Amino acid sequence: MSATEAPVDRLPAFPWDRLEPYKATAAAHPDGIVDLSVGTPVDPVPELIQKALVAAADSPGYPTVWGTPELRDALTGWCERRLGARGMTHRGVLPVVGSKELVAWLPTHLGLGPGDRIAYPRLAYPTYEVGARLARAVPVTYDDPRDLDPTDLKLLWLNSPSNPTGRVLSRTELAEVVAWARAHGVLVFSDECYLELGWEADPVSVLHPDVCGDSHAGLVAVHSLSKRSNLAGYRAAFIAGDEAVLGPLLQLRKHGGMMTSAPTQAAVVAALADDAHVAEQRERYLARRAALRPALEAHGFRIDHSEASLYLWATRDEPCWDTVAHLAALGVLAAPGDFYGEAGARHVRIALTATDERIAAAVARLA
């Protein structure tokens, strides 16, 4: 980096600023805005999680970066129970301060830099590119990772279920990608934050034996409690997988003081021990999806993929900003598809993360 170059100079323009005029248009609707542009939870934090947080509130000392033994037990147990992972130990899990922090800083923490290539889907969460650029590495996009040139490819991001499209990679697809990556010595990080929100597909983790065999070598899964447990405000996430990868990351994060708060750690233990609240939240999203999808289709939209996650990947076969403007005039705000790559230029991403009342308002306006 030159003396005059700041890290922010390496980053793309923050896309959400471009949405502000359309947000103002939608907000002018007599019945108020229906903001379906951002996937931020709106439902209450489950009471059992709140109680666990409060019970741990008297935490005057520093928490550990690795988390309490109880937290590590909860993480390994959940990975085995929910993901089907085998042979999990404390060395194979690591709490992080929300998954976005992990995605943005992972290439830097892995020691990647100029000349190193980092690949992610052509339609993708923008922070994969941000992470590559922060490290001054080379961002590369793909439709099928097996078509990539593995030369200098140091990190491969998978994302299933996908943000923004909701596409789910099958066990066979994942297994073939894992085999390809291992054959070429490419480290795989799999963003699985929407794994528990499959509607027309059953998402599977890269840590499942059907995908990775008897070894987690070269594989790390990324998980978040933001959507499944409404804990976006808690910044609660974790990674799991190859102990040889997580060990150095743990040491680096110790030096950097990158620790989740003690009350948050206690809340995560409670959240991962309870499946009932996850099922309840799934039903909320499923009902909103069942209302919104047919309303969009009746209005002239086509929904592509969207078999999982919290979004509908929708198109009217026109430039995405024309669609954003059309919806804004109805008081509905959507995210333009080109936020997620040029391949999304004719789609919009419509989130299910609004209250039942606001979803009903959107359905009425679309009618």
Side-chain angles (χ1 to χ4, degrees):
M1 185 172 69
S2 69
T4 58
E5 183 191 20
V8 71
D9 295 330
R10 302 196 295 271
L11 302 180
F14 190 64
W16 295 96
D17 292 342
R18 296 170 56 200
L19 203 55
E20 285 301 317
Y22 302 91
K23 185 175 183 178
T25 297
H29 189 279
D31 187 36
I33 188 173
V34 179
D35 191 344
L36 306 180
S37 66
V38 183
T40 186
V42 297
D43 299 305
V45 173
E47 186 176 358
L48 74 121
I49 300 175
Q50 293 190 49
K51 287 182 176 179
L53 185 85
V54 171
D58 185 13
S59 298
Y62 290 111
T64 64
V65 172
W66 201 13
T68 62
E70 292 78 13
L71 175 59
R72 282 177 263 142
D73 282 342
L75 296 178
T76 56
W78 184 86
C79 287
E80 292 182 342
R81 175 172 55 85
R82 182 60 186 86
L83 305 183
R86 295 175 183 166
M88 296 297 302
T89 74
H90 284 197
R91 292 186 299 276
V93 292
L94 179 61
V96 296
V97 191
S99 58
K100 184 170 185 176
E101 168 262 302
L102 183 279
V103 173
W105 290 108
L106 177 67
T108 300
H109 290 174
L110 290 173
L112 304 185
D116 295 327
R117 297 165 69 237
I118 297 171
Y120 50 88
R122 194 172 304 280
L123 279 168
Y125 182 47
T127 311
Y128 304 134
E129 178 186 359
V130 168
R133 294 191 180 279
L134 283 172
R136 304 182 74 191
V138 181
V140 179
T141 61
Y142 65 79
D143 292 312
D144 184 334
R146 294 166 293 183
D147 295 333
L148 290 166
D149 178 356
T151 305
D152 296 321
L153 182 60
K154 300 298 176 64
L155 175 61
L156 172 63
W157 278 107
L158 301 180
N159 181 209
S160 175
S162 163
N163 174 16
T165 70
R167 183 187 172 203
V168 174
L169 297 176
S170 70
R171 293 172 188 240
T172 299
E173 288 174 303
L174 284 171
E176 290 176 352
V177 171
V178 166
W180 178 90
R182 285 173 165 169
H184 295 289
V186 178
L187 175 63
V188 173
F189 265 68
S190 178
D191 181 347
E192 302 172 357
C193 290
Y194 296 91
L195 183 134
E196 294 193 278
L197 298 169
W199 313 120
E200 298 163 359
D202 184 17
V204 64
S205 172
V206 293
L207 302 184
H208 193 284
D210 289 351
V211 174
C212 67
D214 295 325
S215 170
H216 298 156
L219 305 175
V220 179
V222 181
H223 285 272
S224 169
L225 283 81
S226 292
K227 307 302 194 293
R228 69 178 307 272
S229 300
N230 300 332
L231 295 189
Y234 284 45
R235 310 314 301 134
F238 64 94
I239 55 178
D242 190 341
E243 297 177 6
V245 176
L246 268 61
L249 287 176
L250 171 60
Q251 295 306 315
L252 186 148
R253 294 175 69 86
K254 285 181 179 179
H255 282 291
M258 305 180 78
M259 59 192 79
T260 56
S261 73
T264 296
Q265 293 185 27
V268 171
V269 172
L272 293 181
D274 179 73
D275 292 332
H277 78 276
V278 180
E280 183 179 349
Q281 189 59 45
R282 275 180 52 86
E283 289 303 313
R284 291 190 184 111
Y285 286 133
L286 184 60
R288 291 165 187 166
R289 184 178 186 272
L292 192 55
R293 178 168 186 159
L296 287 164
E297 290 172 332
H299 195 76
F301 282 87
R302 184 182 76 246
I303 309 299
D304 291 333
H305 299 301
S306 306
E307 57 262 31
S309 85
L310 290 181
Y311 311 105
L312 294 171
W313 188 236
T315 181
R316 299 204 310 166
D317 289 317
E318 65 184 4
C320 61
W321 286 97
D322 291 351
T323 308
V324 169
H326 171 77
L327 290 172
L330 299 176
V332 177
L333 191 65
D338 64 5
F339 277 10
Y340 309 94
E342 294 179 5
R346 299 182 73 83
H347 283 75
V348 293
R349 193 194 75 171
I350 297 175
L352 304 176
T353 49
T355 64
D356 293 343
E357 184 273 332
R358 287 289 85 186
I359 293 292
V363 169
R365 295 174 196 185
L366 290 166

